[in-house]
Amino acid sequence: MDELVLVFSGFSGVGKSTLINHLLSELGDDASLTVSCTTRAPREGEHDGVDYHFISHDKFDQLVRCGEFLEHVQYCGNRYGTLKSAVNDVLRNKKICILDLEFEGAYSVLHGNAFDFPCVGILILPPSLRSLEKRLRARHSETEESLKLRLTEAFQPKRIAKYHHVIVNRNLESAKVELLQIVKSYIAK
Ligand code: 5GP
């Protein structure tokens, strides 16, 4: 099996993490999720080096200056970045590297494909824009303006076009099957 990078994006609450975890359990030792760096504080139950590398803004700046990131973004007041070394570590030990990125980071990775091997973008969407809007409103985390911005930004054709596959999560079990079929089609190549 050749090396493969899978880039996942989707709004929170859309089932992205569940689908990634399902894929990880199905692929076993053949795949791993990279551990990103973030300046946000750990949530309860999260561990440094496992969920994220939780680092300071200064350390983050230093890594940016040294060119250590494959991509990095500012998102909801915090910074997130994928270390080139994290991707290489996964690919050295396993075959499939999974990245879970917000839209901007995913766009930069998919747009600039920095790899010599397949890098496949998979976008997970909710069944309708309305259901997504309802979910985002229910979280009370958005202002009217930021809600509109997030919805329009996410559905920009130029962004969506960068993904190789779009999975609409109408039913979790079907979405799991669809995802596995997609990934297996690359493994078989
Ligand atoms: P959370 O703070 O809830 O763990 O993550 C917030 C968002 O940041 C999620 O959409 C997640 O996919 C994204 N994210 C996590 N790590 C990275 C990263 O290294 N780069 C980018 N661009 N997004 C990330």
Side-chain angles (χ1 to χ4, degrees), residues 8 10 16 36-38 40 43 46 52 71-73 75 80-82 100-102 104-106:
F8 281 85
K16 180 182 59 168
S36 296
C37 292
T38 184
R40 83 152 164 78
R43 297 186 186 124
E46 286 185 333
Y52 282 104
E71 61 76 39
H72 61 94
V73 295
Y75 175 76
Y80 295 84
T82 308
D100 175 359
L101 309 178
E102 52 59 72
E104 196 186 328

Side-chain angles (χ1 to χ4, degrees), residues 124-161:
I124 314 291
L125 288 183
S128 70
L129 204 59
R130 183 153 296 283
S131 68
L132 173 63
E133 190 180 338
K134 256 166 95 179
R135 195 171 1 228
L136 289 174
R137 279 189 197 285
R139 292 197 323 189
H140 300 296
S141 57
E142 309 284 329
T143 62
E144 201 54 37
E145 201 176 323
S146 74
L147 188 87
K148 279 205 187 100
L149 193 73
R150 290 191 64 175
L151 290 172
T152 45
E153 277 205 341
F155 289 95
Q156 270 177 23
K158 115 177 166 182
R159 288 196 177 214
I160 292 198

Side-chain angles (χ1 to χ4, degrees), residues 23-188:
L23 189 63
L24 285 167
S25 74
E26 288 288 326
L27 296 176
D29 286 344
D30 286 336
S32 196
L33 188 63
T34 57
V35 179
S36 296
C37 292
T38 184
T39 57
R40 83 152 164 78
R43 297 186 186 124
E44 210 180 313
E46 286 185 333
H47 299 287
D48 188 35
V50 178
D51 300 283
Y52 282 104
H53 300 291
F54 295 100
I55 61 175
S56 65
H57 280 275
D58 284 351
K59 177 74 186 169
F60 201 101
D61 278 337
Q62 191 192 332
L63 292 170
V64 172
R65 277 198 304 274
C66 295
E68 299 285 341
F69 285 118
L70 177 68
E71 61 76 39
H72 61 94
V73 295
Q74 174 99 20
Y75 175 76
C76 293
N78 293 302
R79 301 171 80 185
Y80 295 84
T82 308
L83 289 170
K84 292 174 186 165
S85 60
V87 175
N88 289 332
D89 284 350
V90 170
L91 292 174
R92 200 174 302 124
N93 296 312
K94 320 232 176 174
K95 300 284 186 218
I96 303 172
C97 171
I98 298 179
L99 304 179
D100 175 359
L101 309 178
E102 52 59 72
F103 297 108
E104 196 186 328
Y107 181 77
S108 76
V109 172
L110 295 170
H111 181 66
N113 190 355
F115 305 109
D116 295 334
F117 39 83
C119 175
V120 177
I122 302 175
L123 176 65
I124 314 291
L125 288 183
S128 70
L129 204 59
R130 183 153 296 283
S131 68
L132 173 63
E133 190 180 338
K134 256 166 95 179
R135 195 171 1 228
L136 289 174
R137 279 189 197 285
R139 292 197 323 189
H140 300 296
S141 57
E142 309 284 329
T143 62
E144 201 54 37
E145 201 176 323
S146 74
L147 188 87
K148 279 205 187 100
L149 193 73
R150 290 191 64 175
L151 290 172
T152 45
E153 277 205 341
F155 289 95
Q156 270 177 23
K158 115 177 166 182
R159 288 196 177 214
I160 292 198
K162 292 291 164 199
Y163 295 91
H164 303 80
H165 301 276
V166 176
I167 296 179
V168 179
N169 188 5
R170 286 192 187 85
N171 169 288
L172 187 58
E173 291 316 306
S174 313
K176 283 179 181 172
V177 172
E178 192 180 342
L179 174 59
L180 213 55
Q181 272 172 355
I182 289 171
V183 175
K184 285 194 171 160
S185 75
Y186 287 93
I187 296 174

